[in-house]
């Protein structure tokens, strides 16, 4: 598949329990008009399917956002097989609070990078993918700048309200 025919972003998660956070990345992509495909593929529970997905991903996607929790090998193994940028989302976990996922994703060996966002950082993962794609897409860059300007405006409005009603009335 030629580069222009690729789906801009592949979203992959280890379990449906990751869906809520992965959805935050998808929401940003939807809002900024970026195409994506979302899959649930477990590197541990279905390794053969995972290998097939990650190898085919080279023909299919420009960027992959991979989210996983606990011993979160999915993003790192995706980066081992996929040639493009991989953004990892460490999922918050009930036993270790997501530090398990964070360490598993961020501590990659030299040579195989995963751009790791915060624990449960779905929105920033989506925005980081947008920033990467916007380097070669001026229209997307303009939409991204408007998104950032709108964010700023919402903080300005919050401060105006604080000044108006005070912290007790807020
Ligand atoms: C990982 O294990 C998934 O990414 C998920 O975050 C975690 C727990 O999975 P489930 O037991 O909820 O399916 O593979």
């Amino acid at each position: 598949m030629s580069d222009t025919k690729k789906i801009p972003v592949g979203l992959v998660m280890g379990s449906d329990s990751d869906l809520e956070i992965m959805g935050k990345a998808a929401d940003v992509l939807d809002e900024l008009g970026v195409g994506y495909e979302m899959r649930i593929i477990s590197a541990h529970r279905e390794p053969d399917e995972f290998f097939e997905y990650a190898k085919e991903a080279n023909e299919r996607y420009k960027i992959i956002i991979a989210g996983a929790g606990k011993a979160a090998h999915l993003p790192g193994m995706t980066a081992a097989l996929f040639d493009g940028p991989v953004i990892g989302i460490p999922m918050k976990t009930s036993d270790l609070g997501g530090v398990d996922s964070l360490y598993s994703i961020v501590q990659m060996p030299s040579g195989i990078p995963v751009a790791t966002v915060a624990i449960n950082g779905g929105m920033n993962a989506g925005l980081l993918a947008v920033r990467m794609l916007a380097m070669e897409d001026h229209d997307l860059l303009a939409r991204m700048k408007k998104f950032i300007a709108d964010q700023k405006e919402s903080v300005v409005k919050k401060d105006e309200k604080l000044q108006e009603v005070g912290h007790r009335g807020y």
Side-chain angles (χ1 to χ4, degrees):
M1 207 185 282
S2 80
D3 208 47
T4 51
K5 284 189 183 155
K6 283 184 182 175
I7 298 164
V9 183
L11 288 155
V12 63
M13 67 205 92
S15 169
D16 60 352
S17 57
D18 305 325
L19 194 52
E20 187 189 338
I21 298 303
M22 297 303 287
K24 293 184 182 190
D27 286 346
V28 169
L29 299 176
D30 278 331
E31 191 169 340
L32 292 172
V34 174
Y36 60 87
E37 191 172 69
M38 205 182 226
R39 301 285 308 274
I40 299 170
I41 300 175
S42 171
H44 294 135
R45 292 168 177 149
E46 43 174 5
D48 293 337
E49 285 75 4
F50 167 73
F51 269 89
E52 203 168 312
Y53 167 84
K55 280 196 265 180
E56 275 181 12
N58 282 317
E59 302 301 315
R60 209 163 172 80
Y61 310 118
K62 293 183 178 174
I63 296 170
I64 292 183
I65 299 175
K70 300 187 175 181
H73 297 133
L74 180 74
M77 284 307 296
T78 300
L81 293 159
F82 176 64
D83 298 330
V86 174
I87 300 168
I89 309 176
M91 297 296 160
K92 188 166 186 181
T93 54
S94 51
D95 294 322
L96 297 177
V99 172
D100 42 352
S101 323
L102 175 66
Y103 286 176
S104 300
I105 296 174
V106 80
Q107 286 297 105
M108 286 297 292
S110 302
I112 310 291
V114 172
T116 309
V117 296
I119 295 169
N120 278 359
M123 183 188 183
N124 270 359
L127 280 172
L128 186 53
V130 166
R131 285 182 184 228
M132 289 171 179
L133 294 164
M135 289 173 74
E136 291 183 350
D137 182 337
H138 293 290
D139 292 341
L140 180 57
L141 183 63
R143 295 199 296 279
M144 190 193 86
K145 284 185 170 176
K146 182 173 181 312
F147 183 93
I148 289 165
D150 289 349
Q151 249 184 180
K152 181 185 165 192
E153 187 55 31
S154 90
V155 178
V156 169
K157 288 214 171 91
K158 285 175 188 170
D159 184 56
E160 280 170 4
K161 184 180 167 189
L162 180 64
Q163 303 314 312
E164 202 183 307
V165 302
H167 73 277
R168 290 195 183 85
Y170 192 93

